[in-house]
Amino acid sequence: MDFWPLITRLGDSSLLAPVAAFVFCWLLYRGETAKAGLWAMLFGFSTALVVASKLAFMGWGIGISELNFTGISGHSMMAGAVLPTLAAQLFASRRASLAAAALAAGMAVLVGVSRLAINVHSPAEVYAGLTLGLGTSALFLGATRASLPAFQPALLLLVIALGVGQTATGVRAPTHQMLERIAAHLADRDRPFQRGQWAGQPDV
């Protein structure tokens, strides 16, 4: 299996959206209500920005043609937000948690690079996604001082098994196609804008 397509799957919403929900539920289960609420707010806000940027282009052709920017990279944002947050809860020690989060941030950058390598995003879109995602995890870990309840071994094995299964099977969430349909409906268009088309230009 090619390296970059395998890496890019680590940022797919079919894997990381459930993981983000798992982090929220785990914090609630451990009685960390305020931290769970903060995570939901930060992750939800970042996700909303990604969706809004994509709908703006798909529906109305709003983007930055000079940068070939058609929306924030969702894979890059998801990886940057979720992977460091998840990794920080692998260890009870704060120092070990921060080291794990830093390594996971490096993996998130690799996910961003993979989006460029397989030619599905422009550099501007990946930079925006990584900035938003890594900013989300950094804000969360900074606000909580990375003092988070460590996962129990059984739960950790479950998360790892789900991740391995997702990357091995290649199951992907149809989020892009769904957003295209929503954008076309909201903008009352027969079809959504595609990369290379911009507002004010004729459809091709």
Side-chain angles (χ1 to χ4, degrees):
M1 182 177 293
D2 292 339
F3 177 72
W4 290 120
L6 180 63
I7 293 298
T8 210
R9 290 177 186 173
L10 294 176
D12 196 273
S13 57
S14 64
L15 170 64
L16 295 187
V19 171
F22 171 77
V23 169
F24 173 76
C25 293
W26 172 247
L27 291 172
L28 282 182
Y29 173 74
R30 292 299 300 268
E32 301 283 2
T33 305
K35 293 176 182 177
L38 177 63
W39 169 244
M41 181 183 69
L42 290 174
F43 182 74
F45 178 74
S46 296
T47 302
L49 282 182
V50 171
V51 171
S53 71
K54 291 180 178 293
L55 290 179
F57 175 74
M58 293 176 181
W60 295 271
I62 299 172
I64 306 174
S65 59
E66 294 81 4
L67 299 177
N68 194 20
F69 182 86
T70 65
I72 301 169
S73 168
H75 279 67
S76 301
M77 186 285 288
M78 283 273 188
V82 177
L83 294 181
T85 302
L86 180 71
Q89 296 178 77
L90 299 180
F91 304 98
S93 163
R94 184 172 182 271
R95 179 175 296 180
S97 294
L98 290 174
L103 288 175
M107 178 59 69
V109 172
L110 276 181
V111 170
V113 172
S114 76
R115 303 306 284 169
L116 299 175
I118 64 176
N119 198 32
V120 294
H121 278 301
S122 68
E125 293 163 352
V126 169
Y127 296 154
L130 287 175
T131 299
L132 181 59
L134 292 174
T136 296
S137 57
L139 280 174
F140 178 71
L141 295 177
T144 59
R145 298 184 179 181
S147 179
L148 302 168
F151 293 128
Q152 296 173 355
L155 289 175
L156 178 58
L157 288 175
L158 175 62
V159 172
I160 293 174
L162 290 174
V164 171
Q166 196 278 339
T167 53
T169 60
V171 174
R172 300 178 184 177
T175 50
H176 185 79
Q177 294 81 359
M178 181 177 66
L179 288 176
E180 284 186 327
R181 291 195 292 269
I182 293 173
H185 175 74
L186 291 175
D188 195 23
R189 290 177 52 86
D190 293 332
R191 55 183 180 176
F193 280 89
Q194 301 293 333
R195 188 178 297 278
Q197 294 178 266
W198 307 94
Q201 296 179 353
D203 291 353
V204 293

